[in-house]
Amino acid sequence: MKRENQTGTPLFSALDAYKQQNNLSFHVPGHKNGTVFPEDMLSSFQSILPIDLTELTGLDDLHEPAGIIEKAESLAKTWFGSLQSYFLIGGSTVGNLAMLLATCVPGENVIVQRNSHKSILNGIELSGAIPIFVSPSYNQKLNRYTNPSMDQYKEAIEQYPDAKAIVVTYPDYFGHTYDLKQLIDLAHDKNIPILVDEAHGVHFSIDHDSIPISAVKLGADIVVQSAHKMAPAMTMTAYLHYQSRLVDERRVKHYLSMLQSSSPSYPLLASLDVARYFLANVKKEEITTIIQQISQVRAIFSQGNGWDVLPCEKGVDDPFKITLQVRDGYSTDEIIHQFEAEGVFPELATDKHILFILGLAKFSEEKRLESVVKKITRKLKFVSKHATIERKPIAFPKKISKLVYNHDEMNQKEVNFCDWNTAIGKVVAETVVPYPPGIPYLLRGERVTQAHVETIHYLMKEKINFQQTNLEQGICVFEGE
């Protein structure tokens, strides 16, 4: 049913037709359809420059679409199943900022999972809302933090029934999902909208029992998806899907117009049109064949003896992602170095995990990959194993927490640097992020406890990386504390 009327690409086709007309350019951009460009670099750009245009007659306007962009966005909303879908050329970041600014005003509470992307935290700060942080649960089977439990969300809603929104990440970076529908129903019973950072789930729009269900289909109010992560779209492209009776769409449009460039890239916009076309027209049997083949790729990775391949639960985990869990005694950095030396580049690594992402097409390099895995396995036999120190998961002092100061108050305060013992009881002026797991352990505006200091010292002793400098000496705190 969704595939009806999904065969066109109005935006891409109009640009391609314009390219064929050989028009004279007396307008921006300055490369003049690719005729003004360093000759020795032109070959890498020449196919894209003729469609890198501006808002000429017939090419529509992203901020007030009434032509080809409107048609392309209309096809997108039909495919994804939203009330309205918007094209974004600033990545999921601009969508996350817009949905928060459209939903929250200064002083209002917003419930947000603590392991959110920084753009979510930035959006909350820009909106002036008061974040109520819900800490994620540690999944023993996966050996990492995933999402907050439903009980924690229920407790947060009970404590803050006036919350203006709940902001969640679905799926996580590794493609793991959970029962989001239960949370959506719970929130909607309280008239609280659900805002979803679904950056890694644009392909969840494909109806297949091995692929998790999209937050759009589950009924979330606003869903932001990166198009470039899994669909064939250019980097920095994303979609925002709106379908809410609780959030004013006019505010969404207002902030998108404010945050997005007044000179949007037409190649980026066209690639969003093409990505929707691809998703809508890929056949179910093709996806089945690809997923079956991925099981063979998983089997190839399983031949390595320095890691284990984590299981992929049907309908819960993204089948296009393969996570290796490095075995005790082996170095994740060393294994990554070995892969990259063979021209195989993973997406992400933590101290325990290495993430590989496959595309929505048949993988044709099985023999090469098998050769690489065997070669690395042989090399690892000659790498001395190191004694493994059991690392305990970071324990968050509070499952539900709130900042001591709001962002306006913090911006007006003076900052001092002090040692850790002196910092106990004071409010930190910088966020402390151990990586892995990449989840803020101390947030700017939180009060330092003895438990915080003991855990941070433990992590530093274990050589865990932090996104701060001089952390061994101390931390910045707000004056007057």
Side-chain angles (χ1 to χ4, degrees), residues 95-145:
N96 288 340
L97 296 177
M99 71 179 179
L100 282 158
L101 288 166
T103 307
C104 308
V105 300
E108 292 181 327
N109 292 324
V110 55
I111 297 169
V112 57
Q113 71 178 80
R114 193 173 183 119
N115 54 333
S116 293
H117 188 266
K118 63 182 180 180
S119 61
I120 294 292
L121 305 181
N122 292 340
I124 292 172
E125 180 173 351
L126 289 172
S127 73
I130 300 170
I132 310 300
F133 292 104
V134 185
S135 296
S137 301
Y138 191 81
N139 188 309
Q140 295 289 346
K141 185 170 68 173
L142 300 176
N143 273 318
R144 58 182 172 83
Y145 285 95

Side-chain angles (χ1 to χ4, degrees), residues 10-270:
L11 180 47
F12 170 77
S13 297
L15 294 178
D16 192 53
Y18 192 93
K19 170 183 170 182
Q20 307 302 326
Q21 293 170 9
N22 194 29
N23 296 306
L24 287 176
S25 170
F26 286 94
H27 53 78
V28 299
H31 59 66
K32 300 296 179 182
N33 301 330
T35 60
V36 181
F37 213 81
E39 193 165 341
D40 55 345
M41 303 171 192
L42 181 60
S43 61
S44 295
F45 288 87
Q46 60 187 357
S47 63
I48 202 75
L49 292 177
I51 64 167
D52 183 30
L53 299 164
T54 189
E55 292 92 340
L56 303 174
T57 301
L59 296 188
D60 211 356
D61 180 349
L62 176 64
H63 299 287
E64 287 294 337
I68 56 173
I69 296 177
E70 181 186 41
K71 290 177 182 177
E73 289 184 334
S74 180
L75 284 168
K77 76 175 182 182
T78 301
W79 166 249
F80 289 103
S82 65
L83 289 178
Q84 184 60 49
S85 292
Y86 294 93
F87 284 7
L88 310 179
I89 42 82
S92 285
T93 292
V94 76
N96 288 340
L97 296 177
M99 71 179 179
L100 282 158
L101 288 166
T103 307
C104 308
V105 300
E108 292 181 327
N109 292 324
V110 55
I111 297 169
V112 57
Q113 71 178 80
R114 193 173 183 119
N115 54 333
S116 293
H117 188 266
K118 63 182 180 180
S119 61
I120 294 292
L121 305 181
N122 292 340
I124 292 172
E125 180 173 351
L126 289 172
S127 73
I130 300 170
I132 310 300
F133 292 104
V134 185
S135 296
S137 301
Y138 191 81
N139 188 309
Q140 295 289 346
K141 185 170 68 173
L142 300 176
N143 273 318
R144 58 182 172 83
Y145 285 95
T146 52
N147 53 276
S149 69
M150 196 58 59
D151 286 341
Q152 285 174 242
Y153 277 123
K154 287 178 181 177
E155 185 179 343
I157 292 172
E158 287 173 4
Q159 288 186 32
Y160 300 94
D162 62 341
K164 192 64 176 178
I166 299 175
V167 190
V168 304
T169 302
Y170 172 100
D172 65 14
Y173 209 125
F174 293 86
H176 184 70
T177 67
Y178 57 95
D179 188 359
L180 178 61
K181 184 65 166 66
Q182 184 181 354
L183 178 58
I184 291 172
D185 291 343
L186 175 67
H188 285 175
D189 283 346
K190 306 292 185 182
N191 287 320
I192 302 174
I194 293 282
L195 312 181
V196 183
D197 177 0
E198 197 176 58
H200 292 269
V202 69
H203 57 307
F204 290 2
S205 58
I206 298 172
D207 184 14
H208 195 284
D209 59 3
S210 291
I211 299 176
I213 300 173
S214 170
V216 180
K217 188 178 291 186
L218 293 174
D221 294 80
I222 301 178
V223 180
V224 175
Q225 299 170 333
S226 287
H228 67 93
K229 284 184 167 62
M230 287 301 298
M234 294 178 69
T235 300
M236 285 185 66
T237 57
Y239 303 103
L240 184 148
H241 307 296
Y242 170 89
Q243 50 180 12
S244 181
R245 62 179 178 80
L246 300 170
V247 182
D248 188 344
E249 187 183 6
R250 291 173 298 182
R251 287 178 59 84
V252 176
K253 292 175 67 175
H254 168 73
Y255 284 108
L256 284 178
S257 181
M258 180 183 292
L259 295 168
Q260 298 217 85
S261 172
S262 58
S263 300
S265 163
Y266 271 87
L268 296 186
L269 293 172

Side-chain angles (χ1 to χ4, degrees), residues 282-354:
V282 65
K283 293 181 172 57
K284 193 170 185 176
E285 52 269 27
E286 290 179 84
I287 295 297
T288 298
T289 299
I290 294 166
I291 291 174
Q292 288 172 347
Q293 194 215 14
I294 290 174
S295 66
Q296 298 171 15
V297 178
R298 294 174 66 84
I300 292 172
F301 275 115
S302 297
Q303 295 172 14
N305 65 359
W307 58 79
D308 297 301
V309 178
L310 288 182
C312 179
E313 186 177 347
K314 188 174 184 179
V316 174
D317 295 306
D318 185 344
F320 299 94
K321 294 189 173 184
I322 298 176
T323 302
L324 309 186
Q325 182 169 282
V326 177
R327 293 176 183 170
D328 291 346
Y330 289 96
S331 163
T332 303
D333 289 342
E334 175 62 26
I335 292 173
I336 291 171
H337 172 74
Q338 295 289 352
F339 270 112
E340 292 184 349
E342 299 297 327
V344 178
F345 287 80
E347 167 67 17
L348 172 76
T350 70
D351 63 331
K352 293 188 182 78
H353 302 112
I354 306 173

